[in-house]
């Protein structure tokens, strides 16, 4: 069962787990499980995703329950009226805060049509970030005797494909667990040392306006699973913004 964070007659918001595709993709033809399919079966009705999250990214994922709501929600995302907050664990120690204003060339799926109206020019892309916590571990993962990592909060102001992942690579602070834009040695270190086999990027909060009632919605998805385990192991849980603390593990009877 997919965890539901908000639901009414028009909108449903889930906490998408890492490793789950939002919908069928030509790049993963062998995959048989999708968030759209699972949520449709769970609710017993059609659902329409209002945006996308990468397969490896967990967190807030918004669906509409009818086509009119889907159109209204889609307009908010297209007009960049939705506030998104992401959390990531990255290699190195980024600045305390900053803005990544770096245009990105368009990345297409293999099956995406390319025609005369489709430009290859780089598109403006902006992401704000602030560093929430840092650490230096006594392990020579790369060419240095110690290894540095940081917990970063990110706010994208545009919606380019893989924007946060590509921007952090551009900043030379790639996300741990990112097989495409990250560093394999550090990814393997987190697998072996923390048992973490996922990309450490999560959409932890989303703020938008309900497309019918006009009421503001503020939906949070605190890190869970392997992400929460890493935060706890590094002593970073208390560094999270209010409302984003991972849930406490269930107490076991004595």
């Amino acid at each position: 069962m997919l965890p539901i964070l908000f639901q009414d007659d028009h909108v449903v918001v889930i906490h998408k787990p890492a490793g789950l595709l939002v919908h069928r993709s030509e790049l993963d033809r062998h995959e048989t499980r999708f968030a759209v399919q699972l949520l449709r079966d769970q609710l017993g009705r059609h659902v329409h995703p209002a945006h996308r999250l990468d397969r490896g990214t967990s967190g807030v994922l918004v669906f509409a329950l009818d086509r009119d709501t889907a159109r209204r929600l889609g307009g908010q995302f297209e007009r960049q009226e939705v506030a998104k907050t992401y959390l990531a664990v990255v290699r190195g120690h980024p600045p305390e805060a900053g803005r990544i204003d770096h245009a990105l060339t368009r990345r297409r799926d293999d099956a995406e049509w390319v025609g005369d109206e489709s430009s290859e020019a780089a598109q403006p892309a902006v992401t704000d970030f602030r560093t929430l916590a840092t650490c230096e571990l006594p392990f020579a993962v790369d060419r240095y005797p110690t290894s540095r990592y940081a917990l970063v909060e990110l706010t994208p102001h545009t919606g380019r494909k893989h924007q946060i992942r590509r921007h952090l690579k551009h900043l030379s602070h790639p996300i741990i667990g990112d097989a495409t834009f990250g560093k394999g040695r550090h990814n393997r270190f987190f697998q072996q040392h923390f048992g973490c086999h996922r990309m450490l990027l999560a959409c932890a909060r989303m703020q938008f306006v309900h497309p019918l009632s006009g009421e503001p919605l503020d939906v949070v998805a605190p890190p869970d699973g392997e992400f929460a385990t890493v935060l706890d192991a590094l002593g970073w849980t208390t560094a999270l913004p209010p409302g984003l603390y991972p849930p406490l593990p269930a107490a076991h009877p004595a």
Side-chain angles (χ1 to χ4, degrees), residues 85-99:
T85 301
Y86 285 77
L87 296 172
V89 176
V90 305
R91 180 177 67 91
H93 286 179
E96 182 177 339
R99 167 166 287 193

Side-chain angles (χ1 to χ4, degrees), residues 11-194:
V11 177
V12 60
V13 186
I14 69 166
H15 187 165
K16 185 189 87 68
L20 181 67
L21 287 167
V22 174
H23 47 63
R24 190 180 301 275
S25 167
E26 286 294 319
L27 299 179
D28 295 275
R29 296 182 183 182
H30 63 282
E31 187 56 69
T32 58
R33 298 173 70 253
F34 317 94
V36 170
Q37 172 199 36
L38 293 176
L39 187 59
R40 178 198 65 200
D41 294 345
Q42 185 172 325
L43 300 180
R45 60 188 298 183
H46 288 293
V47 297
H48 309 268
H51 62 111
R52 296 175 60 172
L53 288 179
D54 291 345
R55 179 177 190 161
T57 306
S58 63
V60 180
L61 183 62
V62 182
F63 292 83
L65 295 176
D66 57 79
R67 293 189 181 279
D68 180 59
T69 302
R71 178 182 59 79
R72 294 169 184 249
L73 275 174
Q76 289 189 49
F77 281 92
E78 290 173 7
R79 294 188 298 271
Q80 300 169 14
E81 296 171 352
V82 179
K84 309 169 193 174
T85 301
Y86 285 77
L87 296 172
V89 176
V90 305
R91 180 177 67 91
H93 286 179
E96 182 177 339
R99 167 166 287 193
I100 309 169
D101 188 349
H102 175 68
L104 297 171
T105 55
R106 184 169 182 178
R107 294 178 65 91
R108 295 185 176 85
D109 296 333
D110 287 350
E112 187 173 349
W113 178 79
V114 179
D116 294 338
E117 301 298 322
S118 182
S119 173
E120 295 290 345
Q123 300 172 299
V126 177
T127 305
D128 286 334
F129 71 90
R130 65 184 182 117
T131 300
L132 302 177
T134 60
C135 71
E136 186 165 357
L137 303 181
F139 298 97
V141 176
D142 213 326
R143 61 184 183 273
Y144 303 107
T146 60
S147 297
R148 293 180 169 187
Y149 302 101
L151 174 64
V152 181
E153 179 187 82
L154 302 116
T155 303
H157 296 289
T158 48
R160 309 308 176 199
K161 189 172 183 180
H162 302 158
Q163 175 173 316
I164 290 176
R165 297 164 62 187
R166 296 165 74 186
H167 268 176
L168 286 170
K169 178 185 178 183
H170 173 74
L171 204 63
S172 298
H173 296 290
I175 299 171
I176 299 301
D178 189 337
T180 303
F181 304 105
K183 298 279 287 186
R185 291 181 180 179
H186 294 274
N187 296 347
R188 289 189 293 272
F189 171 71
F190 271 70
Q191 293 172 10
Q192 297 161 4
H193 195 75
F194 298 107

